[in-house]
């Protein structure tokens, strides 16, 4: 399984944008890039996923490098409720078993 | 859509006892997954069902672990002869055939083995 590399922790100020990086240099052509987050005492929550093009939804944006070896999750205006562990995961969707391989993720702290 | 429900939320047991956890997925989700998470680590995949069929099991799932999904709805995860190393959060997730990429997780069952 292809691996991802994320910083252990990041800090942000409330109401400022946050850019969470992820490196995945061994990504294969069929791997989608998924992002989940986990708030304290809760299960992980889906954030966004993409293959090649940048993606936007109501929670965040996903910017994918042209060579697909890295990606960035963008929270446009961080709130205190965005403080969580953010996981960048590679996975195949077609025939996907749901076997997402989580790393240790990035712990995001949001300061008021 | 009431979300994925797991029961109990917490379980304390003595080493050597058997424990069983239950997961109720989102209705009509045909896929159900079990993960395990220890403190400071990301969740680890244990096993996966499509309807009632168990299609994949991780090497992490020793012989003491068994999971069932008898009617393709709720699922149970049983651990026999618990060990202290089994202490962890056990997470259940489900997904729809229409959107397999989006897993919905429950809040988990926290197991403590004394």
């Amino acid at each position: 399984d292809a691996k991802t590399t994320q910083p252990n922790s990041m800090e942000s100020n409330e109401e400022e944008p946050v850019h969470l990086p992820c490196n995945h240099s061994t990504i294969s052509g069929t791997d989608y890039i998924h992002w989940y987050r986990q708030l304290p005492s809760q299960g992980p929550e889906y954030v966004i996923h993409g293959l090649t093009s940048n993606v936007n939804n109501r929670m965040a944006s996903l910017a994918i490098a042209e060579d697909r070896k890295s990606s960035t999750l963008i929270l446009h205006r961080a709130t205190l409720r965005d403080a969580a562990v953010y996981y960048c995961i590679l996975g195949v969707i077609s025939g996907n078993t749901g076997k997402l391989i989580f790393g240790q993720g990035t712990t995001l702290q949001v300061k008021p | 859509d009431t979300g994925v429900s797991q029961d109990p939320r917490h379980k304390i047991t003595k080493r050597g006892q058997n424990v069983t956890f239950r997961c109720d997925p989102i209705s009509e989700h045909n896929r159900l997954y079990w993960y395990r998470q220890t403190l400071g680590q990301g969740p680890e995949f244990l096993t996966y069902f499509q309807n009632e069929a168990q299609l994949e099991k991780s090497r992490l799932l020793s012989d003491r672990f068994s999971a069932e999904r008898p009617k393709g709805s709720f699922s149970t995860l049983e651990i026999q002869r618990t060990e202290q190393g089994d202490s962890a959060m056990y997470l259940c997730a489900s997904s729809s055939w229409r959107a397999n990429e989006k897993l919905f997780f429950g809040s988990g069952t926290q197991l403590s083995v004394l």
Side-chain angles (χ1 to χ4, degrees), chain A:
Chain A
D1 297 307
K3 291 188 176 180
T4 63
T5 304
Q6 300 178 252
N8 287 335
S9 62
M10 291 184 65
E11 282 187 359
S12 172
N13 294 317
E14 197 176 12
E15 298 188 4
E16 289 186 355
V18 182
H19 291 236
L20 296 163
C22 181
N23 287 321
H24 29 79
S25 58
T26 59
I27 190 170
S28 72
T30 54
D31 281 334
Y32 279 73
I33 302 157
H34 307 256
W35 283 83
Y36 280 74
R37 72 180 185 180
Q38 189 170 21
L39 279 65
S41 302
Q42 295 188 26
E45 173 188 31
Y46 168 86
V47 177
I48 200 167
H49 78 281
L51 184 62
T52 56
S53 303
N54 295 344
V55 184
N56 300 295
N57 67 21
R58 64 174 181 81
M59 287 182 71
S61 296
L62 176 59
I64 302 172
E66 196 168 331
D67 63 5
R68 300 210 325 126
K69 295 187 176 183
S70 65
S71 61
T72 302
L73 180 71
I74 302 166
L75 306 179
H76 296 286
R77 286 181 75 235
T79 70
L80 297 178
R81 290 178 295 176
D82 291 323
V85 179
Y86 286 79
Y87 297 101
C88 169
I89 305 158
L90 302 182
V92 178
I93 286 191
S94 176
N96 184 24
T97 66
K99 184 182 171 182
L100 300 177
I101 307 299
F102 287 78
Q104 291 193 307
T106 296
T107 300
L108 175 66
Q109 287 186 306
V110 180
K111 296 182 289 184

Side-chain angles (χ1 to χ4, degrees), chain B residues 15-112:
Chain B
R15 190 174 49 190
Q17 298 294 304
N18 299 342
V19 293
T20 300
F21 311 139
R22 177 180 170 122
C23 171
D24 287 273
I26 293 172
S27 59
E28 297 182 359
H29 274 192
N30 66 329
R31 291 186 172 182
L32 186 147
Y33 318 86
W34 285 99
Y35 283 78
R36 180 174 69 186
Q37 185 173 27
T38 53
L39 198 61
Q41 303 298 313
E44 298 171 300
F45 172 81
L46 291 179
T47 189
Y48 142 72
F49 291 85
Q50 181 159 300
N51 300 313
E52 65 275 11
Q54 188 174 18
L55 298 187
E56 188 169 351
K57 291 196 290 187
S58 163
R59 286 188 299 258
L60 294 173
L61 214 63
S62 76
D63 291 344
R64 297 183 297 105
F65 287 71
S66 62
E68 294 183 344
R69 194 183 183 198
K71 296 183 180 178
S73 57
F74 73 92
S75 175
T76 57
L77 177 68
E78 181 183 17
I79 309 174
Q80 295 183 326
R81 305 181 303 282
T82 53
E83 301 172 357
Q84 288 186 324
D86 297 331
S87 296
M89 175 74 79
Y90 290 84
L91 293 160
C92 176
S94 68
S95 67
S96 163
W97 64 271
R98 280 187 292 252
N100 285 334
E101 72 282 2
K102 193 182 288 190
L103 270 60
F104 293 82
F105 282 83
S107 296
T109 294
Q110 180 66 52
L111 173 67
S112 298

